[in-house]
Every structure is written in structure tokens, then in C-alpha cells.
Amino acid sequence: MRMLLKNKKRKKSKVINTIIVIFIFLVLFIIIFINYYSNKSRDVLMAYAEAETRKLTVLVINKAITKQMSDSWADDIFDIVYNDKGEIVLIDFNSKNSSKILSTMTSLIELNLRAIEEGKIDMLELPLNSLDAYDMDLLDKGIITYIPFGMVTGSILYNLGPKIPVKLSLVGDVVTGFSTDVTEYGINNALIKLMIDVKVDTRIILPIISEEINIDASIPIAMKVVQGKIPDYYMNGFSSRSNISN
């Protein structure tokens, strides 16, 4: 009788131990699965949010510059020095005019990006219909777009599940600068292409995670053909930093 009781206790003990081991492995599996899936979800959501943030930011930069673009910029910005033979010896920037144009552009870009960030759509200074591809009701709430959580499944269920809002926030100042490209054009002529380079640091904000990204954009604004050979030296950069207080 005692032997039977002992055998029953041993069997019961083995069953309990087996259940405990299975439970521990199950908990570990769940933790590993959740960790893997959360990392995968984060990567997918952040990649989509980054793409949307870059697209909107570059669009706002482009449209802000287009709104202020002038046909006379090339003449206002460049100082071209010729020698007595009519050859170009120096292409430089007119500091006064360059500073004024860059300051205006920098302030306008930041004003529009902050308006997007804060949901103040009525403060946007962009050409008409610039943001027709976006939901203005969402932008009015400071939301760029919604991401369906089902997107992380990578299947036909991508459009299902809760919708995750994506917001952007400026980090630091907007930095702008001119860059040029001077090439031969025809016989004894030079073609000067003028671009505005913009650097913006933004933070992508999702409900649980956020991440900083750097966005660079180079927008062509003017071309100018000048007579004379390309000089050995020309100034290729002039930059300005935003002076708008955060």
C-alpha cells in the first residue's frame, strides 16, 4: 500500500514538474515572439513614417521656395569679374543680396514646417493647392498621416487594425545655402546653375516610439549663361541658419 502511495506521489510530482517546465518554455517563447514581432513592427512602421515625413517635408521646402522664386535672382546673387580680355576671372556671391534671399527662404521654410507641426494650416504660406494630396483635416490636427497597423503583417490584412498617427517635429534650426554648378556652354560661354540646399532635422513621432532623421533637399532656382571661359576659381557656397526662435 505504501509503495502504491509513493508511486502515485512520484507520478504526480513528475506531472507537476513537466507542467512547470512546459509553462516556463511557453512563457519564454511568448516573450521572444513578442520581442521579435515588436521589433519587426517598429521597423516597418518607422520606415513608412520616415518615407511620409521626408515626402511632405521636401514638398513643403520645394513649394516654399517656388513661391518666392524670382527670375532676377541669378543677376542679384552673382558678382562676375572680367579681365580686360573679357574673360571671367571670378564668380562670387553678392553677400548682401545672398544673405537677404537666404534669410527670407529660411524663415519661410521654417514657418511652414512649424505650421505643419503645430496644426496651424491657416498660417501656411505656400502656392495654392500645394497640399491637395493630403487630408487637410488631419494636418489641422498636426497629423501627417495614419498608418494601418495591419501593414506590419505584410499580407492582404495590411489595411486592417488600429490606425497609428504620424507627426513631425522640427529639431534645431533650418539651414540653407547656395550651391552652384558651372559648366561650358557652347563656344566661350559658361552656364551657371544655382541651387538652394536645405538641411532640416526632424523628429518622427508615433504614439510609442520616435526617431530623429536628417532631411536634405537641393532645389534648382536659376540658370544664367555668361560669356567667357570658365574661371579656375569660383565661390561654390553661401549658407544661412534660421534665426526664428523655437
Side-chain angles (χ1 to χ4, degrees):
M1 190 72 176
R2 290 182 180 179
M3 289 296 294
L4 288 175
L5 290 174
K6 285 183 179 181
N7 288 334
K8 286 184 179 181
K9 287 182 179 179
R10 286 176 184 175
K11 289 181 180 180
K12 187 176 180 181
S13 178
K14 286 181 179 181
V15 171
I16 293 173
N17 290 337
T18 302
I19 293 173
I20 292 173
V21 170
I22 293 174
F23 178 76
I24 291 173
F25 275 107
L26 183 61
V27 170
L28 289 175
F29 174 79
I30 292 173
I31 292 173
I32 292 171
F33 177 80
I34 292 175
N35 186 58
Y36 168 79
Y37 195 74
S38 64
N39 288 336
K40 180 182 177 182
S41 301
R42 182 188 185 282
D43 293 341
V44 172
L45 294 174
M46 191 54 69
Y48 185 88
E50 180 176 340
E52 289 297 315
T53 301
R54 287 186 184 277
K55 183 171 73 173
L56 178 59
T57 301
V58 172
L59 176 64
V60 170
I61 291 171
N62 203 328
K63 295 298 184 180
I65 292 174
T66 300
K67 182 179 175 64
Q68 296 295 318
M69 198 176 291
S70 170
D71 294 334
S72 65
W73 273 5
D75 295 325
D76 296 338
I77 291 171
F78 291 123
D79 282 334
I80 303 173
V81 180
Y82 299 86
N83 61 16
D84 54 4
K85 297 179 182 179
E87 297 173 335
I88 302 173
V89 294
L90 177 65
I91 299 176
D92 200 354
F93 285 104
N94 181 302
S95 297
K96 181 178 179 181
N97 292 339
S98 298
S99 295
K100 183 178 179 181
I101 291 172
L102 280 183
S103 177
T104 300
M105 287 296 97
T106 306
S107 298
L108 187 60
I109 291 168
E110 183 158 347
L111 183 150
N112 283 284
L113 289 177
R114 294 232 177 259
I116 294 288
E117 174 187 353
E118 297 170 6
K120 298 178 179 178
I121 307 304
D122 57 324
M123 293 181 60
L124 288 173
E125 294 189 18
L126 299 174
L128 290 176
N129 306 321
S130 295
L131 301 177
D132 275 357
Y134 289 87
D135 187 327
M136 301 306 291
D137 290 334
L138 288 184
L139 292 179
D140 199 41
K141 300 174 184 176
I143 298 172
I144 298 175
T145 187
Y146 279 120
I147 307 175
F149 189 77
M151 179 173 289
V152 302
T153 63
S155 67
I156 59 174
L157 303 176
Y158 73 94
N159 203 33
L160 300 178
K163 297 186 182 298
I164 301 170
V166 179
K167 297 185 177 183
L168 72 81
S169 175
L170 283 183
V171 179
D173 298 327
V174 174
V175 179
T176 59
F178 287 124
S179 63
T180 57
D181 180 28
V182 183
T183 57
E184 293 183 2
Y185 185 77
I187 301 174
N188 203 34
N189 292 324
L191 175 64
I192 306 174
K193 297 178 182 178
L194 179 65
M195 284 83 69
I196 287 185
D197 300 323
V198 183
K199 295 182 180 181
V200 181
D201 293 332
T202 64
R203 178 179 292 279
I204 305 170
I205 302 175
L206 276 67
I208 301 176
I209 55 177
S210 67
E211 185 174 295
E212 288 186 21
I213 62 170
N214 308 112
I215 300 175
D216 296 334
S218 185
I219 313 298
I221 60 169
M223 289 192 295
K224 182 178 178 65
V225 177
V226 295
Q227 291 185 338
K229 294 181 180 180
I230 298 174
D232 294 330
Y233 175 75
Y234 66 93
M235 297 298 291
N236 191 47
F238 190 97
S239 63
S240 175
R241 183 178 294 273
S242 168
N243 58 2
I244 296 179
S245 170
N246 290 342

